[in-house]
Amino acid sequence: MSLNPAQEQAIHHGPGPAMVLAGPGSGKTLVITHRTRNLIEEYHIAPEQILVITFTRAAANEMKERFDRLMCGQREPVTFGTFHSVFFRILKAAYGYSGESILRQELKKQILKAALEHTEWNPEDVNEALGEIESEISAVKGDRIELQNYYSRSCPNEVFREVYDTYEKELRQTGKIDFDDMMTLCFELFRERRDILAVWQKKYRYILIDEFQDINRLQYEIVRMLAGKEANLFVVGDDDQSIYRFRGAKPEIMLGFMQDFPDARQILLDINYRSVPSVVEAAGRLIGQNSQRFRKKIHAEREKDVPVEVTEYPGLPEENDDIIRKLEMYHRAGIPYEEMALLYRTNQAPRVMAEQMIRVNIPFSMGDMLPNIYEHWITGDILTYMLIAAGSRKRGDFLRIINRPNRFISRACFPDPEVSLEKLKKSMGGRDWMEERVDRLVYDLRMLTKMKPYAAIHYIRKGMGYEEFIESYAEYRHVGKEELMAVLDELQESAQPFDSLAEWMNHMREYGKRLEEQKEKTREKREGVSILTMHGSKGLEYQVVFIPDANEGQTPHSKAVLDADLEEERRLFYVAMTRAKTRLHISYVRERFHREQPPSRFVREIGLPPVVKGNPPGNSSQRKK
């Protein structure tokens, strides 16, 4: 097999630390497996003294299979595993843990949900809140933050601390440990028991780490202790593909590796074997805008080139229609749907496209669970208003919306299973200002009965003050109101084709049914076009890649405010671009939900002129740069 000089240099590196900067498509798995074989054959290292760490079980299994093939089927006792599997092996030997000791995800959710229910906080979307709290608990443990010094982003601080304490108490009482405990316990074991650390240092004299850019602080400290004075630490990664800060990954660890190991060798794998030159060059111009990175120049090995296409559309319908047309065109030209992908910044963004692909019968699979906007709690609020206007008098319906926005009407005003608006007004006890609120509600409900769904949503938002509720909710929850407003925008847009509430709700049921069928197909077998988030596309590659919705607020996401956030967003876009082998289509829209939308700054940084579809607003010379 032909290897380039940088690959040869990495594979034949002997003892001591080394950092391999492996650009996209540069053969990092090849380097790790060949180096492992080389340690055994050239340096006569005992296979059982070699540890290869990856971040996922699937990656570890694939790495082991490739190594076994390289060794012609001869099974050498090299350890391939994830950080968690390695740490658990160490804890198992020290404390006698078994598989039964590991907290299962389902039970973890149950404990957190029960803990949350015992607080006085009532989130609108319980599942969303639980997911955010779970992520924050992991961050507190992974960064070893004192609980009293941590300020929650997802809920009131006292609620987070109460849930955290309840969760930890339950773990101690049941003798369970979660995945984060595997790190913290292993770190404490090595720090306090140098004799046990010495045993494992002798056991694993040579350590190789894949995807090093995704490592967190605690994992790194444990690995450094394990490497010991010999420091036979061989790390492979790409700082330009560090996109998991929200999971605790610290890109600065890779950037500081050479300071931690001054004698380390640094090797750059600078040849991309995956993508055509135009993709490599455009992606290079983009990522070159980041300041916190290793400066590097990546070259494409492939000679035949196809230009990267950047397209500007008037709006989402035109963008989606043209992407559908191109998918069908490529398929007719002989490219399997499985070799095509649509990459979005969030898992909510592809809803309209998925709906359209179902309608035109283009098969697709979803790497990430596509949320059903019709199951969002905001949709539930809007529908409840419309159902009450249509005649519902269920107590539960009124309790859901009566203080969204706040009308200062107590739950005690609804003692009966069926609500009488006349009785509700009488219960106000002659307080004119409260009676006026009920009269206003009655008037608003009467107005809704005269409207089609699209107009009704607009009236609920603007005329009934629902947007004011959203703003106060976002402030209380410390979340960006833009995301919640985007749900309202998309919901209102989806209602436009329908003349009645019944027709719209029938569409919701049919869409939900088809979405479930699509999810089931994806679980059974991954077929068709891949619809993924940019995060979910990491490590994958396709002949044809589409990156739609390349607008400010979408990518970079509106949440990205700090320089570090923007640099990570740029890395994420870089990852998406470099999934493309041959054809890369990037597109943005001029208008979204009747509001002008600027193109993403990343489009400008790529430096390619867009193909403008439709009639551009004003003269081209006057258009915003």
Side-chain angles (χ1 to χ4, degrees), residues 207-224:
I207 303 170
L208 297 85
I209 303 177
D210 187 23
E211 302 285 10
F212 184 68
Q213 76 279 351
D214 295 332
I215 201 166
N216 68 32
R217 178 60 60 186
L218 204 50
Q219 290 166 339
Y220 183 54
E221 293 303 329
I222 295 170
V223 164
R224 286 184 69 182

Side-chain angles (χ1 to χ4, degrees), residues 358 364-366 514-522:
I358 288 172
F364 66 91
S365 62
M366 297 172 292
R514 290 199 176 191
L515 196 60
E516 285 303 317
E517 290 172 355
Q518 189 63 49
K519 290 173 185 175
E520 192 59 40
K521 286 180 184 177
T522 299

Side-chain angles (χ1 to χ4, degrees), residues 12-27:
H12 292 282
H13 173 73
M19 178 173 65
V20 178
L21 300 174
S26 61

Side-chain angles (χ1 to χ4, degrees), residues 347 390 468:
N347 64 351
E468 295 170 13

